[in-house]
Every structure is written in C-alpha cells, then in structure tokens.
Amino acid sequence: MEITPLHDGWTLRAAGGEVPDDVAHAKVPATVPGSVHTDLLAASLIPDPYLGENETALAWMHRADWRYETTFPARPAADGEHVELAFDGLDTVATVTLNGTEVGRTENMHRAFRFDVTGLIQEHNSLTVHFRSALARAGEIERQVGTRPHSYPHPFNAIRKMACSFGWDWGPDLQTAGIWKPVRLERWHTARLDRVRPLVTVGPDGTGRVEVVADVAADTGGQVSVRATLSAPDGTTVAGETSGVDGASAVVRLEVADPELWWPHGYGDQPRYRLGVALTDGAATLDRWERRIGFRDVVVRTEADDVGTSFVVEVNGTPVLVKGANWIPDDHLLTRVTPERLARRLDQAVGANLNLLRVWGGGIYETDDFYDACDERGVLVWQDFLLACAAYAEDEPLAAELEAEARENVVRLMSHPSLVIWNGGNENLWGYMEWGWQEQLDGATWGWRYYSEVFPRAVRELDPTRAYVQGSPTSPGFAPWELAPNHPDHGLVHEWRVWNQIDYRHYRDAAPRFVAEFGFQGPATWATLTRALDAADLHKESPAFLLHQKAPGGNGKLDRGMAPHLPTPADFADWHWATQLNQAHAVRYALDHYRAHWPHTAGAIVWQLNDCWPVTSWAAVDGDERPKPLWYAMRAAFAPRVLTVHERDGGTVLAVGNDTDEPWAGTVSLSRQGFDGTVLATAEQPVEVGARSVGLVEVPAALAEAADTSREVLVATLDDVRVVHPFAENKDLALDPASVTATATAAPGGYEVTVTATSLALDVTVLADRLAPDAVADRALDTLLAGESLTVHVTTAAELDPLALTVSPVLRTSNGLHAVVRV
C-alpha cells in the first residue's frame, strides 16, 4: 500500500448563493482538513462568529455553495495497480471531480468515502470538491420524504450532518462546510485490508481472547494471508497467528492467559496491548493495520426487580458507580479541536473524578484522538448513534445512509476499550410519546426501525462485545408505547423539569435507576465572557449577551431558579457570580441525592462537561476551556469518599459514600454549632461502610434540629472528609457578608491566597480569571468555619496585584451576596 496525503495547495472560493462581494470575488488558500469558516477567518473575510453579534451577521453562509480546488502530481496506474481517492470526512453535500470527471457524490458528514480513480490518474491532476448548501439540500429531502418533527427551526433531521451545526440551545447556528477530515491517494496491488474488526473478550477462566476478522479487497484469488500479533504493555510479543484469506475475509484468533485487565478510572489501571495486523503475499507485506486494545469484560445489567428495571454498568464483574457527564463537540468549528485540546479536556474530566463521558447524539462520532485519550485515562464512553431530539424518516435517501454510517462507525471504534455502550439516539423515543409528534406524523415513519432493528443488528453482527440500548431515556425491554420511556423506576431517565419548570429541590422527589441527562445553566467565566462581548454588552438584556444565551427564556429561568436560594444580586457582576454559584449548587444537590441511593441509582450523567463556543450554558468547562464553579462542585460530589446530609423517612441521615476498594471505618464526629463557632451539641457514631457502597448514619434529633435555623449548621466529619449542612436556604441565613480576610503572596508558578474566616464562610472561591485570562485556582466553593483558614493556589504566567486576589470581585463567597448583616 502506497499512501500520499493530499492536504497541500488547496484553494477555496464561493460557488453560489447570496455571497458578499468581497467574498464572492476572492480565491483564498484553504487548509485541509478544515472548513469554509476557518479559511475565511484566516483570510480576514469574515469576523469571528463567536464574538458579539457576528453569528447573526454570517447567516448568509447557510445557503452558500463552495468550491475547493487543488492540483497534484502523480504517476498513471501501472498494470494491475489500483488507485483510489479516499476521503475520511466531507461536510456534507459534496461532488468530487478529478481531471474533469465526476467520481462521486456524498451527503453524509459521518462517513468516509473511497473512489476508484485508477483510469483517471495522470501525471498532472486537478481535484475539485464542490459543496452545496446543506440547508438547501435538507429542504429538498424534507419535501421528498415529508416533514418530520424536530426541536429547532432548521430540518436538521433530513440530512446526515452534525445536528448542532444548525444551532442548539447552547450552540451557534453556523452550518459549516468543508473537507473536515484527511484526504489521500492510495495505491495497491493484489489486495488491501478493507476493514479490521478486533473482538476482544475475557473468558470466565480469565483468558483474554482476540478474534480478528479482516475483510480484504482483492483483485485475484491469490494466496494472501493475514497475520495478527499481540504485544503486551511492556512491548513483549505474547501471541501471533496467521490465517489464509477465505473468500474475502480471514479470521485470526489469539489468546493470552491471565492478561492485565483494563479498568475505569478509580477502579484500577488502564494497561493496553498493541495489536498488529498484516496482509501478506508470500514474503511481501501488502497492507498493515495497528491499534491499541484493552482486555476487559463489560455487561450492562437491565434486570427486573421489586421496584422496576435496573441499569447497572459492570466492568470485569464489578458494578461501577457511573460518575458521568455528557460530551458535545469541543469547538463548533471542528477542525480546531486538536489532540492536545482533547487531552486537556479529558484531564479536566478525570480531574473532576468523572469515569464516563456520553458522546451525545446531536454531535459527531469523535476522532480516534478522543477515544485514545479516554482509553489512556480510563474514562468509559457511552456512544450515541447520531440522532437527537427529532423524528427521522425511514425512507430513502436517509435509510441507507444511516445504516451505512452506523455499521462503519461501529467497526471504526470497536478497538477502543473505553467504549462500552451504543445508544440508539437522544430523546427520540420520549419525543415520540410525549412531545406531540404522533399527531404531526399521522402514521409516517419516525425512526423506530433504526432503534429496534438497524442499530442493534449492526452492533450484534459487527461488535457483540458492546451493549446496546435503544435510546435515552428508555425503559429497557419495552417499546415506548408499552411503558413510558422516561419512567423513573425503569432504566434511563432525563430530568428536565428542574431548570425548565420547577425548583432544584425537586431533584429529591424521586430516586431514578440511572440518570442519563440533567443539568442547570450558568454563564461562562468572566474572562471568556469579556473576550466574547464588548464592555457595553455586559448586562443580561443586551442583544449580544442574549445571542450567547440560546435557551428559550434562559435568563428568566436563571433568575427564577436562583430566587428561592440566594439573595437578589445587586449588579451584573453579582448576578454573574450568583448564577454560576446557583448552577453549582443545583447540580451538587442532585448528585448528592443520586449518589446516596447507590446501587438503586447506579449512575448520573451531568449535562454537560464542555462547551463549543462562549455561551451561557449547562457546561462545567466553558468554550475557552476554563472551569466554571460547577466543575469544582462536580469534583467534590464525585470524590471517592463523601459525606452528605439527607431527609429520609421523617428523620435526618448522614450518607457515607465509599467508592473505593477498601472499607471505610471510623467514628463520625457530629456537631451543631453557631456561625461564630459556638458548639451547641455534639455526638459520635461508629461507622463501617464496605467497599463500593453507601452507609446511612442516623443523626440524633439534638443535632438534626436547630434552635435558630438562620444561625446554625450541622457539621459531620469522618477522617479528612467533612460536610457542613445549613438548616435553611442561603438567602435566609444570617451570614456576615464580610466573613473572611485574606492575604496573597507570589509563589512558584503563580500566587498563594490564604483565606481566614471570622465567622461561617460559604463557597469561598477565587475567580482568578478576572485578573488574567490564564489564571486558574486549584480549589473553589470551600466552606470555612469560624477561625479556619485555607490556601488557594493560583496558577498564572501573569504578574498580578496580590491585593486584587484578596478582595471582591475576585475573592468571593456566597456570604458576600448578602447586602447587610442580618440582626
């Protein structure tokens, strides 16, 4: 196999639509892989769509057509040689022309395409890729197959393009186009590897097995063979076998006695083996394929019990408390997401104690860099098939594209040990039953065949080592008309009444079996916000600010969601802090509840980890990669060991959560004390909680009931873990607004900020990015009792005024939102 990348010498120009004159008459250098937006940005022909109101100013691009062109030298095909033009990804409606001859058309961003150009290749070659407006083509398909319900204005469900490219309630409406993945010329003779499927299992006897199924494209019935070799994590070769090609495929089986097992983060290590596959013709090697694999056994248990239907992920026989977050594309302009950026994001996921990311169905099948990063860190991947919040026609041209896309990506991703679940789609079963779709559909197809037949068949036939679930939310084992898809006692639940309709205290109304999606909004960090908006737009009613708040009625929901819990903010700076704080409080409140019900509630996946641009959203990490207060709240809630306070059966209990492999035994110290540190009542309780389990400790009435709910807290401590539980909402507490003093000094890599409390101080946080864009604090949302101190380490390359780190609006507490000291 001879491979020649074709990434050089490309140009871009407009080819149709109502395009501004300066763009219409320009031919600019094009970066491949890349997109029209990134190329026009590089040529200074469009403004940054992430800033101000520029997104709206670029709406003309939705209906524009584009032409990419390049030339390249090559040699004509030799006798018996095959020459193919391979595109790993085209976004989206493309016509490919080589030397004046059309070689193919594509309408699916999520597939790779290969065109035989053996008879066309010559010494000097001209290659053109013409992109039509995806919106225009989606409209044509919608008229052809009939309108289907969808959640946003554009018919994103009529074309196989990243759904959120058309806008979402956290993302911009940019509708990208371009050659978004690598393109190359491939030459081969005799045979090449068409696809390789490594089926990795661990048997009941502990033996690791790899069944390599290699499909071969060949031009003769020659005696080609496939050899597979396996190397251990230390590089030692531990297995190797060869098999002849029978027809168009070969099967090679390898075994490893007692392999090193791959585990999720927090449950063990992540050793990976190197699997190499070679296609040979005698002594000649025709083609090669290589991946890193991991030995682990994964089962998703959906079993009926006396409550309903469980949903438990087991890895290597161990039930895993899923601590998850949903994942969206990390930049709307996808080709700007580098392996280094993905590594930073996965480090933030692990830093927040996450062990699972759900790749959401309105985005993309991520690049292998993403799954490699998850493999390396032990972050489990739940992968949606890419259907979201819409009904999907089961007619052509969509049906064949969806099946081909599903089968291709199941094979592409199956080498990754992190991938554990395939999910039919996001909220489509729920939408069909409860969003009024049936009346609109009037009997038309809506996607059920994909979820019940096409996708499970693809997983079963191609990669039966993975679990498949028909959708999220869903009641496993039931069609949506047989049992409500979002039933809290059965399988997967999405909780969106909170945020949209009711207060976050209602998270504790139910104990679902598994929460696959829930969340609460908050604005981006200050540095991100002020990069995206001018100073005049820093108020919540400015058109630019509202353009970066995509949720319908989002600001009103932020205010209504905050009102029962926090004092009314005095100005925009306070509002920014308070809404970020309320986001963190809401999600922490839910996570504490869900975790306390383990193993009945077997996991929680927060919406969402990341953002794709600067926006007010549900993310824990904003579009400029900065952690919001929510990230610190998730880190605390998902810590290996936690203490949380709950009302159960008319009493107060302390939940002792132990997500480690060792029992947690000791004596819990309990006290009820005033904000000034006065101890009003104490108790001690012995406790022993087994590995990977939760224990409940009853709190004596003398500590569980306050004499003055506005001035007292319950404090519980076990070893170095503590919880401080107020008896009333923050807004009703008699908190001293000036409850802390602080000093700051320069330290290696940045600064140290030492904070001391003169009385109870809640949510102690240093918003260091307000002083320097690169500044980040190592901790946030801390509680200090009267007389206690802590040190916050701020990392930055900037020279800061130490005094600025010790006062508002950089040093913050929720106390500071109280305008006066209550007496």
Side-chain angles (χ1 to χ4, degrees), residues 131-410:
F131 288 97
R132 276 196 65 197
S133 160
L135 181 59
R137 179 58 179 148
E140 292 175 356
I141 297 174
E142 184 180 49
R143 289 188 292 274
Q144 174 184 336
V145 303
T147 301
R148 299 300 197 278
H150 46 84
S151 298
Y152 296 95
H154 300 302
F156 64 83
N157 54 337
I159 194 163
R160 297 310 302 151
K161 176 175 171 59
M162 179 175 81
C164 66
S165 188
F166 296 92
W168 218 259
D169 59 2
W170 38 258
D173 181 4
L174 298 182
Q175 302 182 34
T176 54
I179 305 171
W180 78 288
K181 286 188 175 183
V183 55
R184 61 196 173 276
L185 198 68
E186 295 188 353
R187 297 175 173 272
W188 59 276
H189 63 84
T190 307
R192 66 171 173 81
L193 292 170
D194 187 36
R195 65 180 185 180
V196 177
R197 296 190 292 121
L199 297 160
V200 183
T201 58
V202 180
D205 62 352
T207 300
R209 295 180 173 86
V210 184
E211 181 177 281
V212 179
V213 182
D215 296 332
V216 176
D219 59 7
T220 69
Q223 300 299 309
V224 295
S225 299
V226 172
R227 177 163 181 79
T229 57
L230 191 66
S231 300
D234 65 3
T236 305
T237 300
V238 293
E241 297 290 342
T242 302
S243 175
V245 175
D246 183 7
S249 65
V251 178
V252 186
R253 295 178 175 86
L254 306 175
E255 289 192 357
V256 180
D258 194 27
E260 299 178 58
L261 296 182
W262 186 97
W263 290 92
H265 172 64
Y267 284 70
D269 296 328
Q270 293 79 44
R272 288 182 290 165
Y273 290 67
R274 190 169 297 279
L275 175 64
V277 177
L279 179 66
T280 61
D281 180 12
T285 298
L286 303 177
D287 202 356
R288 295 180 182 276
W289 179 98
E290 187 176 278
R291 298 289 188 277
R292 297 179 73 183
I293 64 171
F295 287 101
R296 84 288 181 276
D297 179 65
V298 177
V299 176
V300 176
R301 300 204 179 278
T302 55
E303 300 172 341
D305 55 27
D306 57 357
V307 176
T309 310
S310 66
F311 192 95
V312 180
V313 178
E314 287 189 5
V315 179
N316 301 327
T318 300
V320 174
L321 171 61
V322 170
K323 306 171 182 177
N326 283 267
W327 172 270
I328 65 171
D330 205 49
D331 192 317
H332 191 94
L333 303 180
L334 296 169
T335 57
R336 301 201 299 198
V337 181
T338 63
E340 294 76 19
R341 177 170 176 148
L342 289 170
R344 292 193 297 272
R345 201 63 61 254
L346 266 293
D347 285 342
Q348 287 176 318
V350 170
N353 294 308
L354 300 180
N355 59 25
L356 181 143
L357 290 177
R358 175 189 170 206
V359 181
W360 167 76
I364 61 172
Y365 303 101
E366 287 287 342
T367 64
D368 281 288
D369 294 322
F370 170 83
Y371 304 96
D372 284 339
C374 292
D375 293 344
E376 181 181 349
R377 292 161 177 80
V379 176
L380 301 174
V381 176
W382 159 329
Q383 177 68 57
D384 282 12
F385 287 104
L386 301 184
L387 302 93
C389 304
Y392 289 80
E394 296 167 19
D395 308 86
E396 300 301 344
L398 293 172
E401 285 291 345
L402 269 163
E403 180 158 8
E405 166 193 319
R407 298 179 76 87
E408 176 181 320
N409 284 284
V410 166

Side-chain angles (χ1 to χ4, degrees), residues 242 713 759 781:
T242 302
V713 290
S759 67
L781 305 180

